[in-house]
Amino acid sequence: MKDWLDEIHWNADGLVPAIAQDHKTGRILMMAWMNRESLALTVRENRAIYWSRSRGKLWRKGEESGHLQKVHEVRLDCDADVIVLQVEQLGGIACHTGRESCFYRVFEDGAWKVVEPILKDPDAIYHAGHRHE
């Protein structure tokens, strides 16, 4: 039997981009990277686990913030090089800035405009110096 992980077209660094999308609203919450281990663990544990390129280790979404992502479905695109996770975002905050989504800026009149409120102060979410999510 073919290993389902072998069907994914991993990049030169052994990673694949993963988009987290709210399973109810369809809102794009964030994008992060996954390696074979993080994707296999995500499927096994039914929670989003990514690969942190900056830290060079597995990143269990919510391990510091408490804002876990419960996975409802995992999809692979037609070119087998992008993953979409349908998730339930616990706490309603996916971004380390304290916003619902990482995509909170809109290009208007030649500049990036912030169009979403901070739902919770990042300093109240993270311990000092641990803003990696």
Side-chain angles (χ1 to χ4, degrees):
M1 190 171 97
K2 190 172 184 180
D3 184 342
W4 62 277
L5 291 165
D6 290 337
E7 295 182 47
I8 296 169
H9 294 168
W10 305 96
N11 72 12
D13 296 321
L15 302 174
V16 66
I19 298 165
Q21 183 176 32
D22 185 288
H23 77 111
K24 287 184 180 171
T25 67
R27 174 107 197 258
I28 300 296
L29 300 174
M30 58 175 281
M31 177 273 169
W33 295 92
M34 293 182 135
N35 64 7
R36 287 179 73 97
E37 182 183 13
S38 67
L39 182 54
L41 287 169
T42 292
V43 168
R44 187 176 313 137
E45 297 182 20
N46 251 11
R47 63 171 286 194
I49 300 170
Y50 302 105
W51 177 256
S52 171
R53 294 178 303 166
S54 62
R55 291 181 283 175
K57 67 175 191 172
L58 290 174
W59 159 33
R60 285 177 157 77
K61 176 66 177 162
E63 66 188 342
E64 294 172 13
S65 66
H67 300 145
L68 282 72
Q69 292 174 343
K70 182 180 176 189
V71 175
H72 287 259
E73 185 178 74
V74 179
R75 288 190 180 222
L76 182 63
D77 80 324
C78 57
D79 293 324
D81 62 1
V82 179
I83 298 287
V84 173
L85 303 175
Q86 297 286 327
V87 303
E88 177 183 349
Q89 178 64 63
L90 303 184
I93 296 173
C95 185
H96 76 278
T97 66
R99 292 176 173 89
E100 176 188 13
S101 170
C102 294
F103 298 94
Y104 60 87
R105 292 176 278 205
V106 174
F107 187 72
E108 286 183 10
D109 301 321
W112 293 107
K113 180 181 175 188
V114 173
V115 295
E116 307 224 347
I118 294 173
L119 302 178
K120 188 171 183 182
D121 182 344
D123 291 332
I125 298 172
Y126 301 97
H127 305 298
H130 288 94
R131 267 193 220 162
H132 297 294
E133 293 189 35

